[in-house]
């Protein structure tokens, strides 16, 4: 009993001494530097905070926003996420120094998402969003960019108009009662996803509802399931609802690829990606790259577009004079061109709509960030950011605390 008790005491002492290194691997400071690491909280052992997690009031990144507020909104603070220690950096100049190497002699590299096998299995390690190799990332951007050229966008106008008309009919049918515009805008972007991005032929309400449900479950799991940030593969991953939702979407893409092999191009975004060749005239996306990137376009496009459209509806409701001006521009467009939309005509004759969208994005910018990994230790504001720690551009806090955007009016 005495030996057993002694071993337990020694083990407890070691855990107390090396607690941070055990529970949050890689979080030790650089002992060659005298400066301390920034203050902060590391969150859940091994996983840390959910960087993508959000709330209805705050939006994405709520846990990081709450921690910054709790700490008094410092320019630097530490936390743990994605299986590694991170430092959130606030302020344009500091972000440029830390991430873009303006004044420091250190280097930074892209974050390697392959360290998160569960997240990558659900969202696709071969997508342009998660590719950390510079040359490979550039190649993916070129090939996927083919689907965003003017000709491809012109072909997309018709399915987008059909999807919009479907949602307008829902609004008209609900006149006299409350209309949940956030749901309308979300459904619109999901309709565009299956009609234009994937080019699916969903002919019944049941099929459309199944697609909407699967896509929502797939997108939402990134902010709802903290276990996906574990640095080792979860044995039960295939039972995860996000994993099952992805499998449904992959099946839909596989069927579409088989149709493209049989019938050729059809104007969908997936079609353009599938047949695209690089500058050498021969390099194409692999089958897995086609799958991952066609789905990541839904993730990147549907949530951001739905959020922006919802904000547009809110601001138009609050500013009726702007709504009337927009309606007048649309009446003039119809009188000149009819009800069929053409991209070049929209660009030329709906300049107020363009300005309105830009102003909405200025007032309510999309929550986004960049993450890099420090190749060497650095010191900023008397605090160290150790080698191999991630550096996160705290863009929202930068805007919130920038004197140009903030009045001292309590």
């Amino acid at each position: 009993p005495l030996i057993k008790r002694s071993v337990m005491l020694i083990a407890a002492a070691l855990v107390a001494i090396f607690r941070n290194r055990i529970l949050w691997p890689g979080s030790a400071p650089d002992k060659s530097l005298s400066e301390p690491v920034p203050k902060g909280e590391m969150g859940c052992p091994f996983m840390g905070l959910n960087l993508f997690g959000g709330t209805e009031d705050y939006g994405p990144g709520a846990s990081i926003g709450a921690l910054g507020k709790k700490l008094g909104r410092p320019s630097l603070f530490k936390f743990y996420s994605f299986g590694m220690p991170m430092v959130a950096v606030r302020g344009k100049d500091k972000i440029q120094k830390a991430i873009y190497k303006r004044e420091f002699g250190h280097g930074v590299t892209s974050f390697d998402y392959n360290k998160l096998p569960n997240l990558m299995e659900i969202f696709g390690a071969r997508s342009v969003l998660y590719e950390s190799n510079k040359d490979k990332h550039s190649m993916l951007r070129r090939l996927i960019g083919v689907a965003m050229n003017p000709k491809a966008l012109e072909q997309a106008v018709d399915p987008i108009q059909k999807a919009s008309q479907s949602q307008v009919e829902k609004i008209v049918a609900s006149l006299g009662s409350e209309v949940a515009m956030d749901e309308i805008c979300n459904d619109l972007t999901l309709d565009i996803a299956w009609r234009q991005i994937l080019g699916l032929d969903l002919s019944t309400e049941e099929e459309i509802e199944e697609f909407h449900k699967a896509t929502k479950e797939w997108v939402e799991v990134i902010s709802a399931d903290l276990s996906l940030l574990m640095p080792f593969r979860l044995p039960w991953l295939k039972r995860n609802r996000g994993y099952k939702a992805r499998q449904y979407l992959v099946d839909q893409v596989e069927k579409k690829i088989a149709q493209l092999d049989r019938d050729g191009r059809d104007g969908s975004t997936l079609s353009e990606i599938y047949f695209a060749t690089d500058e050498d005239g021969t390099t194409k996306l692999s089958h897995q790259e086609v799958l991952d990137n066609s789905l990541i376009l839904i993730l990147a496009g549907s949530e951001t577009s739905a959020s922006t459209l919802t904000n547009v509806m809110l601001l138009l409701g609050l500013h009726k004079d702007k709504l009337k001006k927009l309606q007048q521009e649309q009446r003039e467009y119809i009188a000149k061109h009819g009800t069929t939309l053409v991209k070049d005509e929209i660009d030329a004759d709906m300049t107020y709509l363009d300005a309105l969208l830009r102003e909405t994005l200025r007032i309510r910018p999309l929550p986004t960030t960049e993450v890099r990994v420090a190749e060497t230790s650095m010191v900023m504001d008397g605090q160290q950011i150790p080698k191999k720690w991630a550096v996160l551009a705290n863009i929202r806090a930068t805007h919130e605390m920038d004197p140009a955007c903030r009045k001292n009016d309590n």
Side-chain angles (χ1 to χ4, degrees):
L2 181 60
I3 295 175
K4 183 178 180 181
R5 190 178 301 115
S6 299
V7 171
M8 291 179 65
L9 287 172
I10 292 171
L14 289 172
V15 169
I17 294 172
F18 299 106
R19 171 176 174 270
N20 284 2
R21 298 185 190 183
I22 295 172
L23 300 181
W24 298 281
S27 61
D30 185 339
K31 291 184 178 180
S32 69
L33 298 175
S34 60
E35 293 82 1
V37 296
K39 294 181 179 180
E41 296 178 2
M42 304 306 264
C44 180
F46 303 109
M47 294 180 288
L49 303 177
N50 188 346
L51 187 59
F52 295 127
T55 63
E56 188 171 328
D57 293 334
Y58 188 88
S63 57
I64 307 303
L67 178 56
K69 184 177 181 180
K70 179 180 177 181
L71 296 170
R73 298 185 183 276
S75 59
L76 306 175
F77 65 86
K78 70 176 181 180
F79 62 99
Y80 200 86
S81 189
F82 290 163
M84 68 187 305
M86 296 189 172
V87 172
V89 180
R90 173 176 64 78
K92 177 176 69 71
D93 293 338
K94 290 183 175 63
I95 289 172
Q96 287 180 336
K97 292 175 183 178
I99 291 183
Y100 301 112
K101 304 182 290 184
R102 297 294 183 184
E103 293 183 7
F104 292 88
H106 68 85
V108 291
T109 58
S110 297
F111 178 77
D112 185 4
Y113 286 94
N114 288 308
K115 295 178 180 179
L116 306 174
N118 304 294
L119 195 70
M120 290 300 93
E121 193 154 347
I122 290 180
F123 289 98
R126 306 299 296 165
S127 76
V128 66
L129 189 61
Y130 299 123
E131 179 56 62
S132 58
N133 180 278
K134 181 180 178 181
D135 293 336
K136 190 70 172 177
H137 179 82
S138 296
M139 183 274 287
L140 290 173
R141 287 190 63 173
R142 288 194 300 272
L143 290 176
I144 295 167
V146 171
M148 307 298 168
N149 63 34
K151 182 179 179 181
L153 292 176
E154 185 176 332
Q155 292 177 318
V157 171
D158 182 59
I160 291 174
Q161 184 173 2
K162 289 178 180 177
S164 302
Q165 184 63 39
S166 175
Q167 296 305 318
V168 169
E169 289 170 1
K170 288 183 182 180
I171 296 173
V172 172
S174 301
L175 290 179
S177 59
E178 186 177 275
V179 177
M181 284 307 300
D182 58 338
E183 294 181 8
I184 291 289
C185 293
N186 190 62
D187 286 349
L188 169 59
T189 58
L190 292 179
D191 278 357
I192 293 172
W194 69 259
R195 289 176 187 269
Q196 174 55 33
I197 296 179
L198 300 185
L200 303 180
D201 183 20
L202 305 181
S203 56
T204 68
E205 286 298 322
E206 291 75 16
E207 289 177 326
I208 295 172
E209 181 58 34
E210 184 180 15
F211 179 86
H212 283 201
K213 181 174 181 292
T215 306
K216 288 176 182 178
E217 289 183 349
W218 177 62
V219 171
E220 289 171 357
V221 75
I222 196 170
S223 61
D225 193 343
L226 195 60
S227 69
L228 295 180
L229 302 183
M230 295 294 283
F232 53 84
R233 194 184 187 285
L234 300 173
W236 58 85
L237 183 64
K238 291 187 177 182
R239 296 199 296 272
N240 181 285
R241 65 187 181 91
Y243 182 92
K244 294 178 180 178
R246 174 185 167 83
Q247 290 307 114
Y248 162 83
L249 294 172
V250 167
D251 289 344
Q252 296 299 315
V253 176
E254 293 280 18
K255 292 176 184 176
K256 182 63 183 183
I257 289 175
Q259 179 186 332
L260 293 174
D261 283 334
R262 184 180 65 248
D263 302 332
R265 294 176 184 266
D266 64 1
S268 66
T269 304
L270 173 56
S271 168
E272 296 302 311
I273 291 174
Y274 184 60
F275 290 108
T277 56
D278 204 2
E279 296 166 343
D280 59 9
T282 57
T283 301
K284 300 180 66 174
L285 295 178
S286 68
H287 188 81
Q288 191 61 49
E289 287 168 346
V290 171
L291 288 175
D292 288 353
N293 285 286
S294 59
L295 294 185
I296 215 67
L297 286 175
I298 297 175
L299 175 66
S302 61
E303 287 293 296
T304 54
S305 298
S307 196
T308 298
L309 287 170
T310 301
N311 287 329
V312 168
M313 295 300 109
L314 170 64
L315 293 172
L316 286 175
L318 293 173
H319 301 276
K320 299 293 179 63
D321 57 324
K322 305 298 187 293
L323 174 60
K324 290 179 180 178
K325 190 170 180 179
L326 177 63
Q327 290 171 332
Q328 180 58 34
E329 180 181 72
Q330 292 178 343
R331 292 190 189 98
E332 292 171 1
Y333 178 93
I334 292 172
K336 183 177 180 180
H337 302 291
T339 57
T340 300
L341 299 177
V342 178
K343 183 182 181 301
D344 289 344
E345 295 170 353
I346 295 173
D347 293 341
D349 295 325
M350 287 196 181
T351 54
Y352 188 74
L353 172 62
D354 180 73
L356 187 146
L357 292 172
R358 292 174 186 271
E359 180 68 356
T360 298
L361 287 168
R362 185 189 71 81
I363 295 171
R364 298 287 295 174
L366 294 169
T368 183
T369 188
E370 284 194 63
V371 179
R372 298 290 186 269
V373 178
E375 292 181 328
T376 60
S377 297
M378 60 179 119
V379 175
M380 180 178 289
D381 288 356
Q383 302 167 88
Q384 65 164 281
I385 301 177
K387 178 182 179 180
K388 299 301 181 185
W389 281 40
V391 184
L392 176 138
N394 198 346
I395 295 175
R396 175 161 176 168
T398 296
H399 282 279
E400 289 176 343
M401 300 302 292
D402 191 325
C405 308
R406 185 178 179 87
K407 289 183 178 180
N408 187 21
D409 57 2
N410 298 315

